[in-house]
Amino acid sequence: MTEEPGEQDRGDGVESAAPRRRAAPTIYDIAHLAGVNPSSVSRALNQPGRMSAKTESRIHDAARRLNYRVNPMARALPTGRTNMIGLVIADITNPVVFSIVRGAERAAAERDYTLVLAESEESSDRELKVAERLLQSVDGLILATSRLDDSAVTRLAEAKPLVVVNRVVDNVPGVVADVSRGITEAVDLLALFGHRSVAYLSGPERSWISHARWRSIKERCDWSRMEVTALPTASPTVEGGRGAAAAVRSSGCTAVIAYNDLIAIGLMRELGMAGLQIPRDLSVVGFDDIFGSDFTVPPLTTIQMPLQRQGARAVELILDALKEDSAPRQSESGDLLTHLVVRGSVGPPRSRSAPH
Amino acid sequence: MTEEPGEQDRGDGVESAAPRRRAAPTIYDIAHLAGVNPSSVSRALNQPGRMSAKTESRIHDAARRLNYRVNPMARALPTGRTNMIGLVIADITNPVVFSIVRGAERAAAERDYTLVLAESEESSDRELKVAERLLQSVDGLILATSRLDDSAVTRLAEAKPLVVVNRVVDNVPGVVADVSRGITEAVDLLALFGHRSVAYLSGPERSWISHARWRSIKERCDWSRMEVTALPTASPTVEGGRGAAAAVRSSGCTAVIAYNDLIAIGLMRELGMAGLQIPRDLSVVGFDDIFGSDFTVPPLTTIQMPLQRQGARAVELILDALKEDSAPRQSESGDLLTHLVVRGSVGPPRSRSAPH
DNA sequence: CCAAGCTTGTCAATCGGTTGCCAATAGCGA
DNA sequence: TCGCTATTGGCAACCGATTGACAAGCTTGG
């Protein structure tokens, strides 16, 4: 309380041994140094050109000299804008989300937004809680691998701009990749090799995207006059893939398209341990092209999703919604195409190895 | 300006087509509903028991009825606490950081903290910028894979509690795993198989942890009377491992310990393509036990780092520093042990295959 | 029966920036 | 040189919550 109360003991509450923190400079410090009113500082910093060049540069100099950074919390209060975007994912160790996170982080950072991350650990209860908590601190929310039902998503979307990834919810913008191209390529390749019977190792029953993939696969297989059946898996993981091996073998199919790469990898490993050879005994196609899918033997042929671009696009949609209030852009898959990455896990079926 | 100015047009600035957002309830709404003063609401919510049970429960009821969540920005202003922790990483697609992120996210969420993520894209300039930006909005900062030099780290640590992971910087708390146990196990296993000459494929020249690993490997090899040399790699990636294959072959060593799994995997793939067999022609040990390190053929034997625990520990250190100002705990590796995960990439050397 | 001691709740200042409104100033033409 | 308008900059309210100081209400003891 020597001179400027509140300047003296700011920083951290207790004042004993802890390393002394230097308090961050404020616009008041700048105003003092530049000899102007704090509000002028705010103006100079936020609306360049609305002030005499001389004063403006004096203020900027002072700010630079003090190494000033705006306090995002203080700014957020009156404006309601935090410059943060929330990203909720089910499981951060799922390689599928890495790319989404990266794409989102990059797109956000580029526009000076900060990404806030939260994990729902595959629980829809936790997801709701986490999303509600995040919602308070961010300008918009991305649900990357949501386990919520549509109504909950819709309700969340009422509070702040919200975008879902790889999912379609009425009236909520979504970023969905167009799987048809990749699937067409995959099915066509199998057909070319002479496969006549294919199985789809499906994902979680409640997964919108798993059904979308199945529909697309079914359609293309029908078109190619191939038999196709869906086989369930216990979980969309390596373990789930392992567990499905028996069903695959007894199904009599000669090729498999898996809901994701983890399942595909699990299946290959299990069959490999049982002495089968891939692709001689079974052709396997994965989905996503995750990190490590080329480490396997043989390397996995897989349908690559534009996950990083999807993450970036999700951020862009949020920012769009924030900027103007044009009608919320609906799920558009324009440039979000998938394509087949051909590696070693697809070949001719055992019986007839000649094409066609 | 009909009645309560500022109540009418809150929500979002522009008011045309955009989906109407409902404004979040405030403590004033609660106070109004419960018929008390806003400050009583704050007290009832934050200091339970300091108020008549009756009033308190009335306030809680009102809060629940309005589905009230505290506005973190508004709270952060007077308290200086944001309940957010920043995590800066070099490259989010590096599998090593997944586990750190997960550990940190879990530990943070458990204590009602939110994790804020930023990527430096391997650039120390960007890292500094990003860290300074984050510093404004968080209560503490974790540098997981920092490319900054010590002085920059020290300077950042002056502003807010800061923790580095897998690195030691004077006067800055760090979370460093004790590599000696894993390395001892690895070197001993190689010795047991009869290897006499080992190479270390090192990481980035400026990486503290790479040197630490090298020192530990050198020490144990000396102890075992094994020859050991360090071989440089161009980068700590699969590509870097590939590029080092030639040097490894001409070095005459029979076993390799790589700075990380990516290098090990790259090396194995390159050698495999050249017709060598692992472990017959070369034993390979990786570091980290990343996702996918068991997808390779043979599966990679690797020294597992407790990355997830390290991430969690980093958060705990921040929280400690925030709570009391006990002397900042210095890098302690107590329970952060490494250990060898034995898989298929280590075997007896070609020449003499009998142990010892 | 009254004063002292606790509870319980209210007031008001504050955190750091933003912004509408208005006064002071500068610039301009006549 | 004067008066008018276009700029420029300052004042003050406000965003939502926290918190120290204090008043009102209650209990309790002398």
Side-chain angles (χ1 to χ4, degrees), chain A residues 18 21 91-93 98 101-102 105-106 114-119 121 133 157 159 269 294-295 297 325, chain B residues 18 21 91-93 98 101-102 105-106 114-119 121 133 136 157 159 269 294-295 297 325:
Chain A
R21 313 260 174 234
D91 171 9
I92 206 181
T93 62
F98 306 157
V101 174
R102 157 168 267 183
E105 206 282 337
R106 296 245 166 126
T114 297
L115 197 71
V116 175
L117 196 70
E119 217 182 346
E121 290 168 34
R133 184 159 62 91
R269 293 177 72 77
D294 56 338
F295 294 172
V297 173
D325 30 10
Chain B
R21 313 259 173 234
D91 171 8
I92 206 180
T93 62
F98 304 158
V101 174
R102 155 167 269 183
E105 206 281 336
R106 296 245 166 125
T114 297
L115 197 71
V116 176
L117 195 71
E119 215 182 348
E121 290 169 34
R133 185 159 61 90
Q136 303 291 318
R269 293 177 72 76
D294 56 339
F295 294 172
V297 173
D325 32 10

Side-chain angles (χ1 to χ4, degrees), chain B residues 252-297:
Chain B
C253 67
T254 59
V256 161
I257 301 179
Y259 163 66
N260 69 13
D261 287 345
L262 293 176
I263 292 177
I265 289 169
L267 176 68
M268 294 207 306
R269 293 177 72 76
E270 186 68 19
L271 294 180
M273 287 173 60
L276 297 209
Q277 270 192 31
I278 293 177
R280 196 195 60 185
D281 299 314
L282 185 79
S283 286
V284 176
V285 177
F287 231 115
D288 293 338
D289 190 26
I290 61 172
F291 172 87
S293 59
D294 56 339
F295 294 172
T296 58
V297 173

Side-chain angles (χ1 to χ4, degrees), chain B residues 90-91 94 96 122-123 145-148 166-167 200-215 230-238 240-241 257-263 287-288:
Chain B
D91 171 8
N94 181 340
V96 168
E122 304 278 2
S123 137
T145 47
S146 183
R147 301 288 183 264
L148 295 175
N166 277 336
R167 173 161 174 180
Y200 172 61
L201 283 183
S202 56
E205 188 50 45
R206 297 191 47 193
S207 159
W208 185 91
I209 187 78
S210 177
H211 288 103
R213 288 173 183 178
W214 163 243
R215 275 193 303 276
L231 261 31
T233 58
S235 72
T237 60
V238 171
I257 301 179
Y259 163 66
N260 69 13
D261 287 345
L262 293 176
I263 292 177
F287 231 115
D288 293 338

Side-chain angles (χ1 to χ4, degrees), chain A residues 86-89 96-97 99-101 104 127 141-147 153 162-169 172-177 207-209 213 259 305-315 317-318 331 336:
Chain A
L87 177 58
V88 181
I89 58 190
V96 168
V97 314
S99 306
I100 298 179
V101 174
E127 180 173 357
L141 200 59
I142 301 172
L143 303 181
T145 47
S146 184
R147 302 287 183 264
V153 173
L162 183 145
V163 171
V164 288
V165 175
N166 277 337
R167 170 157 175 183
V168 170
V169 177
V172 175
V175 179
V176 183
S207 159
W208 184 90
I209 187 78
R213 287 173 184 178
Y259 164 65
M305 293 280 288
L307 293 168
Q308 188 169 332
R309 274 225 303 294
Q310 290 184 274
R313 171 60 61 82
V315 166
L317 284 183
I318 297 271
S331 336
L336 297 173

Side-chain angles (χ1 to χ4, degrees), chain A residues 29-168:
Chain A
D29 300 326
I30 299 177
H32 187 74
L33 187 59
V36 298
N37 188 285
S39 57
S40 300
V41 176
S42 175
R43 282 214 182 69
L45 262 29
N46 296 311
Q47 305 156 23
R50 315 260 289 129
M51 192 169 278
S52 87
K54 201 160 61 72
T55 317
E56 196 175 307
S57 79
R58 193 148 40 92
I59 291 175
H60 272 111
D61 282 355
R64 203 167 312 113
R65 194 146 61 236
L66 294 175
N67 193 26
Y68 169 82
R69 321 254 120 191
V70 62
N71 178 332
M73 306 301 145
R75 165 177 285 170
L77 206 39
T79 61
R81 302 290 243 63
T82 65
N83 268 41
M84 296 196 287
I85 293 180
L87 177 58
V88 181
I89 58 190
D91 171 9
I92 206 181
T93 62
N94 181 340
V96 168
V97 314
F98 306 157
S99 306
I100 298 179
V101 174
R102 157 168 267 183
E105 206 282 337
R106 296 245 166 126
E110 222 167 74
R111 293 159 182 83
D112 232 40
Y113 271 71
T114 297
L115 197 71
V116 175
L117 196 70
E119 217 182 346
S120 68
E121 290 168 34
E122 304 278 1
S123 137
S124 72
D125 279 358
R126 255 190 76 75
E127 180 173 357
L128 190 59
K129 227 172 263 162
V130 150
E132 280 181 339
R133 184 159 62 91
L134 241 49
L135 220 38
Q136 303 291 318
S137 352
V138 301
D139 293 341
L141 200 59
I142 301 172
L143 303 181
T145 47
S146 184
R147 302 287 183 264
L148 296 175
D149 49 47
D150 284 14
S151 70
V153 173
T154 307
R155 199 146 29 76
L156 286 173
E158 280 168 18
K160 294 266 177 79
L162 183 145
V163 171
V164 288
V165 175
N166 277 337
R167 170 157 175 183
V168 170

Side-chain angles (χ1 to χ4, degrees), chain B residues 48-115:
Chain B
R50 317 260 289 128
M51 194 169 277
S52 86
K54 199 160 63 72
T55 316
E56 197 176 304
S57 79
R58 192 148 42 92
I59 291 175
H60 273 110
D61 282 355
R64 202 167 311 112
R65 194 145 61 238
L66 294 174
N67 193 26
Y68 170 82
R69 320 254 120 191
V70 62
N71 178 333
M73 308 300 145
R75 164 176 286 172
L77 207 39
T79 61
R81 304 287 246 66
T82 64
N83 267 42
M84 296 195 289
I85 293 179
L87 177 57
V88 181
I89 59 190
D91 171 8
I92 206 180
T93 62
N94 181 340
V96 168
V97 314
F98 304 158
S99 306
I100 298 179
V101 174
R102 155 167 269 183
E105 206 281 336
R106 296 245 166 125
E110 224 167 73
R111 294 159 182 82
D112 232 41
Y113 271 71
T114 297
L115 197 71

